[in-house]
């Protein structure tokens, strides 16, 4: 075949090194090593360790025969349930017509970027997909940096600086993760009010990715939609709080002021996925009619994750690792600067090389921070997902203990052993490196 005069792939994708989702590729790599018989503590992939919410499984059995195409925007009963869900948990009101249901929130975020005409800003550190979606949809994203001293939250000053220094005068879309993947950090009302002030001043629309909201360890999530109701689009779904990632049910909630964007995303949905899976939509429409049962499931799962996350942060800090205390979700973002002199002597200079060394020497897999999370490649930050344990056993034990018991380290050791063991391995490895 003759080589065409023009490249078969868009040149900008090649120039910006567009590639596969690094978290998914990393997970596939580690799973392959596990199938080969290697013993690995897998801290590299963030999905719920718990069984799918029991009510959802029961409801899905009832609705498995639903086979017809549903409305593009989503089953009306489900959209009504989503409104009641957020009224209950987040104390803000919306209407079913404000909601678009899709096959996972990732698809809806991408469609929004596809139809958005303007500049895209992304917080750093970031979930691995935002930048790639921006590039795939024809944008060159601007990065809003954060730092450990601010517990990895972007600040109003930092957002203002990016807008002014880059002279951004077009429409602007900020992708904000709260609670944050990969850091486990949450924004308080004070932080969000400061950001909202900048957004109002510069007409910034915010896609507020709040898919980890119900994993807040103390139930204290603050939604940007309460503080910036005219300019915030909420993105969420059932994959985290209900442990149903593979069911692919996500949604966006648009304010009335952004109805044009909502209509265009709905139109784009009709030309791409048609509708989210019908049985799953029907199942969750039923689930959301019993919010007290949701409360119970969420209360136990978040209590377990709090105990595990705080154990990981405390143990690593005792070895000299810098770790911001997680307040929600499945992640911490530790900085292994404490071992930099020791590994540099061995010719290891980047975060990716350090992670490879950790995997080779102690069989512990963590994802590098680095460019995939919009961090410098020589910064020794990593995304550590503390979910590689049998959530079924942990959830059963939590329920046996009752709702008022604070889970301690012995619970983590007994019911989350792979996490307990892996963190201890890292501690021993650090001590060995720094004593040699």
């Amino acid at each position: 075949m003759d080589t065409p005069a023009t490249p078969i792939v868009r040149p900008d994708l090649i120039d910006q090194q567009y590639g596969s989702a690094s978290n998914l590729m990393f997970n596939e790599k580690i799973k392959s090593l596990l199938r080969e018989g290697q013993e690995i503590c897998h801290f590299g992939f963030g999905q719920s360790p718990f069984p799918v919410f029991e009510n959802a499984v029961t409801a899905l059995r009832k609705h498995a025969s639903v086979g017809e195409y549903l409305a593009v925007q989503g089953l009306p009963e489900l959209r009504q349930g989503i409104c009641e869900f957020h009224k209950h948990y987040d104390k803000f009101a919306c209407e079913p017509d404000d909601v678009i249901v899709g096959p996972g929130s990732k698809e809806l975020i991408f469609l929004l970027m596809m139809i958005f005409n303007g500049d895209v800003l992304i917080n750093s550190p970031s979930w691995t997909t935002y930048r790639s979606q921006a590039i795939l949809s024809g944008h060159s994203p601007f990065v809003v940096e954060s730092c450990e001293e601010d517990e990895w939250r972007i600040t109003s000053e930092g957002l203002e600086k990016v807008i002014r220094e880059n002279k951004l005068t077009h429409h602007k879309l900020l992708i904000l993760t709260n609670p944050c993947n990969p850091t486990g950090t949450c924004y308080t009302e004070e932080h969000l009010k400061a950001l909202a002030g900048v957004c109002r001043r510069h007409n910034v629309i915010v896609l507020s990715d709040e898919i980890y909201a119900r994993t807040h360890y103390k139930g204290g999530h603050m939604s940007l939609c309460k503080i910036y109701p005219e300019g915030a689009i909420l993105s969420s779904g059932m994959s985290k709080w209900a442990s149903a990632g593979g069911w692919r049910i996500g949604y966006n909630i648009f304010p009335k002021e952004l109805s044009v964007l909502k209509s265009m995303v709905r139109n784009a949905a009709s030309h791409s996925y048609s509708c989210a899976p019908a049985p799953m939509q029907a199942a969750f429409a039923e689930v959301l009619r019993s919010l007290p049962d949701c409360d119970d499931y969420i209360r136990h799962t978040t209590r377990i994750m709090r105990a595990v996350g705080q154990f990981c942060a405390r143990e690593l800090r005792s070895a000299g690792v810098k770790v911001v205390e997680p307040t929600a979700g499945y992640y911490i973002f530790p900085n292994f600067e404490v071992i930099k002199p020791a590994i540099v002597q061995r010719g290891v200079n980047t975060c990716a090389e350090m992670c490879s060394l950790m995997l080779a020497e102690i069989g512990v897999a963590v994802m590098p921070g680095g460019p995939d999370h919009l961090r410098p490649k020589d910064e020794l930050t990593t995304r550590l997902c503390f979910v590689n344990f049998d959530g079924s056993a942990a959830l059963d034990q939590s329920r046996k203990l009752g709702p008022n018991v604070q889970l301690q380290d012995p619970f983590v050791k007994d019911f989350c052993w792979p996490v307990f063991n892996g963190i201890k391995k890292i501690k021993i490895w650090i001590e060995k490196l720094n004593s040699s």
Side-chain angles (χ1 to χ4, degrees):
M1 180 181 292
D2 294 335
T3 303
T6 57
I8 198 168
V9 174
R10 279 170 38 196
D12 63 306
L13 298 184
I14 299 172
D15 293 342
Q16 298 194 61
Q17 298 180 325
Y18 175 80
S20 299
S22 57
N23 60 327
L24 299 180
M25 297 302 293
F26 186 77
N27 187 47
E28 291 178 16
K29 172 188 173 182
I30 300 304
K31 282 188 171 182
S32 176
L33 296 176
L34 289 168
R35 284 193 296 270
E36 293 172 4
Q38 294 193 33
E39 292 187 10
I40 297 173
C41 179
H42 190 4
F43 285 142
F45 192 66
Q47 64 181 3
S48 174
F50 303 106
V52 179
F53 181 33
E54 303 92 330
N55 291 27
V57 175
T58 301
L60 184 60
R61 292 192 182 102
K62 290 170 55 179
H63 298 286
S65 62
V66 180
E68 66 266 24
Y69 286 97
L70 301 181
V72 173
Q73 198 163 333
L75 190 68
E77 297 90 335
L78 175 57
R79 289 185 279 125
Q80 179 64 51
I82 289 168
C83 293
E84 295 299 325
F85 185 82
H86 285 281
K87 180 180 179 181
H88 175 70
Y89 287 108
D90 294 315
K91 306 298 186 293
F92 74 80
C94 58
E95 298 176 4
D97 190 53
D98 302 329
V99 181
I100 297 180
V101 178
S105 58
K106 183 187 286 188
E107 178 76 10
L108 292 169
I109 295 171
F110 176 62
L111 292 182
L112 176 64
M113 289 194 196
M114 282 291 293
I115 61 97
F116 179 72
N117 181 32
D119 297 312
V120 173
L121 301 96
I122 304 173
N123 64 275
S124 164
S126 164
W127 180 45
T128 60
T129 287
Y130 297 138
R131 176 181 178 274
S132 294
Q133 285 192 338
I135 293 169
L136 187 60
S137 59
H139 301 279
S140 295
F142 296 89
V143 177
V144 184
E145 299 282 355
S146 68
C147 61
E148 286 174 294
E149 289 72 22
D150 292 320
E151 297 185 331
W152 298 119
R153 300 182 189 94
I154 64 169
T155 65
S156 56
E157 295 84 2
L159 177 59
E160 181 89 39
K161 179 181 178 183
V162 170
I163 292 171
R164 291 192 180 281
E165 288 187 351
N166 292 283
K167 299 179 180 178
L168 303 183
T169 57
H170 298 92
H171 299 296
K172 293 168 281 292
L173 175 66
L174 168 65
I175 311 297
L176 179 71
T177 322
N178 176 38
C180 182
N181 171 6
T183 67
T185 290
C186 296
Y187 288 78
T188 66
E189 183 175 2
E190 180 183 0
H191 295 125
L192 293 176
K193 283 182 176 178
L195 288 173
V198 177
C199 291
R200 286 193 175 99
R201 190 157 54 249
H202 293 283
N203 296 313
V204 179
I205 296 167
V206 183
L207 186 286
S208 186
D209 188 345
E210 301 181 16
I211 199 162
Y212 289 95
R214 303 285 75 82
T215 70
H216 192 290
Y217 300 153
K218 296 182 179 180
H221 172 71
M222 175 57 63
S223 175
L224 183 63
C225 295
K226 291 182 65 177
I227 295 167
Y228 188 38
E230 74 275 22
I233 302 165
L234 185 142
S235 176
S236 192
M238 312 304 180
S239 63
K240 309 307 177 185
W241 78 262
S243 308
W247 289 32
R248 309 313 301 139
I249 295 294
Y251 55 88
N252 281 358
I253 301 177
F254 289 78
K256 296 289 191 294
E257 292 84 350
L258 298 178
S259 59
V260 171
L261 280 178
K262 181 199 71 178
S263 296
M264 293 303 293
V265 170
R266 183 185 58 211
N267 292 345
S270 73
H271 294 297
S272 52
Y273 62 79
S274 297
C275 68
M280 285 71 169
Q281 288 200 57
F284 271 107
E286 182 173 326
V287 163
L288 297 184
R289 288 198 288 268
S290 182
L291 293 179
D293 291 337
C294 299
D295 288 341
D296 178 76
Y297 182 84
I298 290 168
R299 184 183 304 114
H300 285 286
T301 54
T302 53
R303 178 171 68 165
I304 294 166
M305 295 313 302
R306 179 185 182 186
V308 178
Q310 290 181 344
F311 164 80
C312 293
R314 186 172 58 252
E315 287 293 301
L316 291 178
R317 280 199 294 261
S318 72
V321 179
K322 296 180 180 178
V323 187
V324 173
E325 185 88 4
T327 50
Y330 314 148
Y331 314 103
I332 50 176
F333 201 63
N335 186 335
F336 287 85
E337 183 181 328
V338 66
I339 63 171
K340 190 165 190 175
I343 63 174
V344 166
Q345 288 182 357
R346 299 175 62 179
V348 174
N349 297 291
T350 69
C351 188
E353 291 171 348
M354 181 197 71
C355 291
S356 295
L357 184 67
M358 188 185 299
L359 179 61
E361 295 195 346
I362 59 172
V364 173
V366 295
M367 272 198 75
D372 287 332
H373 292 97
L374 303 183
R375 304 305 303 167
K377 65 180 182 179
D378 59 347
E379 179 185 271
L380 298 184
T381 50
T382 67
R383 188 183 81 154
L384 190 152
C385 314
F386 45 86
V387 292
N388 57 325
F389 62 92
D390 179 5
S392 299
L395 182 57
D396 287 345
Q397 181 64 15
S398 178
R399 285 172 167 158
K400 289 177 183 177
L401 292 171
N404 300 318
V405 177
Q406 185 173 349
L407 305 181
Q408 304 289 344
D409 288 357
F411 179 94
V412 178
K413 182 178 181 180
D414 292 342
F415 293 95
C416 313
W417 169 252
V419 177
F420 187 92
N421 185 46
I423 294 296
K424 293 294 187 181
K425 284 185 175 181
I426 294 174
K427 279 190 66 176
I428 294 169
W429 183 64
I430 292 171
E431 291 165 0
K432 183 179 178 181
L433 280 171
N434 286 338
S435 64
S436 60

